[in-house]
Amino acid sequence: MSAVIRIVECPSNSITVHRKGYQPPRTVWRLPDEEIRFTRPVRLLTMQRLALFDLDNTLVDRSEAFRRWAVEFCADRELPDDALAWLIATDQDGAVPRNWFFGEVTERFGLAASVDETWRQYRRRMPELVSCPQEVLASLTLLRDDGWTVAIVTNGQADNQLGKIRRTGLDRCVDAWAVSGELGIRKPAREILEAAARGCGLDLSGGGWAIGDSPVLDVEGGRAAGLATLWVSRGKDWPAELAPPNRTVTDVVAAVRVLRGEASAEGHPDQPPAAGVSGLTTVRRVVSESPRTPRGS
Ligand SMILES: [Mg+2]
């Protein structure tokens, strides 16, 4: 019987591994006075350089784009002064279903247009209001230049999300994307992450990183799929009731720096460090599938 374990850390004198499923890592090899010993045959795998990024409020500032849409919406319909604050509060940063949201909007403001028509107009306008900072696009390019494969995984209607990806230029900076509206699968389901990896010609069995601003959709979803997780906090506190991410950064440019090994980040002591930061690129020792004979036996 063999157990698949993955190297997650390789400082100068030891290898720390954890088993698939991200149980707490343990050090199994330490130099110079110990040799590698396993109680049963193992196969060591390095984590592939696959980065799966969320789109809204990770790669693009969806909150600002929504605020701009809401300002226009209020002005066009001459809505009362408190309408803007109501729209922003009811939107909940995009967390609520859009059909529900536009149902509420239609009812509150007594719109003549149907829910579907108002929603359609929103999807047409939002991609025009979203922008992706040049430094984010440049970061993704650097990440791919370092040998990483990069994909976007996002929930939302296909026209809206694909419009954002293409108008911002992100389509030229990633290898693939998976949009829930196209696939009929939503985060946090593992299948949408698998679809993104498959679009890159990879699969999740080789590991990788899930990066995003949602503790549930991106971090918990990524963890459940066997990925390491990097939370883009945007200055918020991590929900105490959830298991922490592997790493936390404030924005996506910092996330890329962590992946590229140029920066440290907040992390939980039981969580593995960023792949490719200090360890994986320096692993030189090949560990066989058979257990080593203990010294002196
Ligand atoms: Mg998001």
Side-chain angles (χ1 to χ4, degrees):
M1 177 180 175
S2 69
V4 177
I5 59 177
R6 182 171 296 126
I7 299 173
V8 294
E9 185 179 5
C10 183
S12 59
N13 69 340
S14 70
I15 292 177
T16 299
V17 302
H18 70 108
R19 281 174 287 178
K20 202 172 180 183
Y22 289 91
Q23 297 172 26
R26 62 193 177 93
T27 299
V28 296
W29 176 44
R30 196 175 296 282
L31 290 177
D33 56 348
E34 293 181 21
E35 66 179 23
I36 300 171
R37 294 178 60 180
F38 296 107
T39 56
R40 55 181 176 171
V42 296
R43 180 162 53 97
L44 292 185
L45 301 174
T46 55
M47 187 188 294
Q48 66 191 354
R49 292 184 166 201
L50 172 65
L52 303 180
F53 287 89
D54 168 52
L55 178 65
D56 287 328
N57 287 336
T58 296
L59 291 171
V60 301
D61 189 346
R62 186 260 178 204
S63 295
E64 174 58 18
F66 180 85
R67 191 195 64 77
R68 293 175 62 191
W69 170 84
V71 167
E72 287 184 0
F73 186 83
C74 293
D76 291 347
R77 290 160 182 78
E78 299 180 336
L79 298 180
D81 291 345
D82 62 353
L84 177 61
W86 183 89
L87 284 166
I88 291 172
T90 306
D91 172 58
Q92 294 184 41
D93 238 354
V96 295
R98 292 297 88 182
N99 55 350
W100 176 86
F101 173 77
F102 283 103
E104 294 293 300
V105 170
T106 302
E107 183 177 328
R108 180 176 180 95
F109 300 116
L111 302 182
S114 68
V115 172
D116 284 349
E117 177 55 25
T118 306
W119 187 8
R120 198 161 32 243
Q121 290 173 3
Y122 164 86
R123 298 201 306 270
R124 200 158 45 228
R125 183 61 176 141
M126 275 295 276
E128 298 170 351
L129 299 174
V130 165
S131 62
C132 184
Q134 191 57 42
E135 63 174 342
V136 173
L137 299 173
S139 290
L140 295 178
T141 299
L142 288 172
L143 191 61
R144 293 173 81 202
D145 288 347
D146 277 358
W148 286 75
T149 300
V150 176
I152 298 170
V153 185
T154 179
N155 285 350
Q157 293 292 305
D159 53 358
N160 190 14
Q161 302 309 83
L162 292 173
K164 293 175 194 172
I165 290 170
R166 292 187 172 122
R167 288 187 68 95
T168 55
L170 281 165
D171 60 328
R172 297 186 291 279
C173 298
V174 300
D175 297 281
W177 50 79
V179 177
S180 70
E182 274 193 316
L183 299 170
I185 314 162
R186 292 176 60 82
K187 290 188 289 187
R190 174 191 173 93
E191 288 78 6
I192 192 169
L193 299 170
E194 285 177 333
R198 207 161 45 241
C200 299
L202 301 172
D203 65 64
L204 297 184
S205 64
W209 285 80
I211 304 105
D213 71 302
S214 170
V216 172
L217 300 181
D218 301 317
V219 175
E220 293 220 303
R223 180 188 296 119
L227 301 174
T229 54
L230 214 167
W231 182 48
V232 178
S233 70
R234 303 170 69 222
K236 297 179 180 174
D237 293 328
W238 179 257
E241 69 275 16
L242 300 180
N246 298 114
R247 289 290 182 266
T248 297
V249 292
T250 54
D251 60 54
V252 72
V253 173
V256 170
R257 280 201 298 268
V258 170
L259 294 177
R260 298 185 68 224
E262 294 177 349
S264 60
E266 302 165 39
H268 189 275
D270 286 341
Q271 304 302 313
V277 172
S278 60
L280 298 181
T281 56
T282 62
V283 171
R284 293 287 182 269
R285 183 158 182 162
V286 176
V287 181
S288 76
E289 297 244 354
S290 301
R292 295 282 295 265
T293 304
R295 187 177 291 168
S297 66

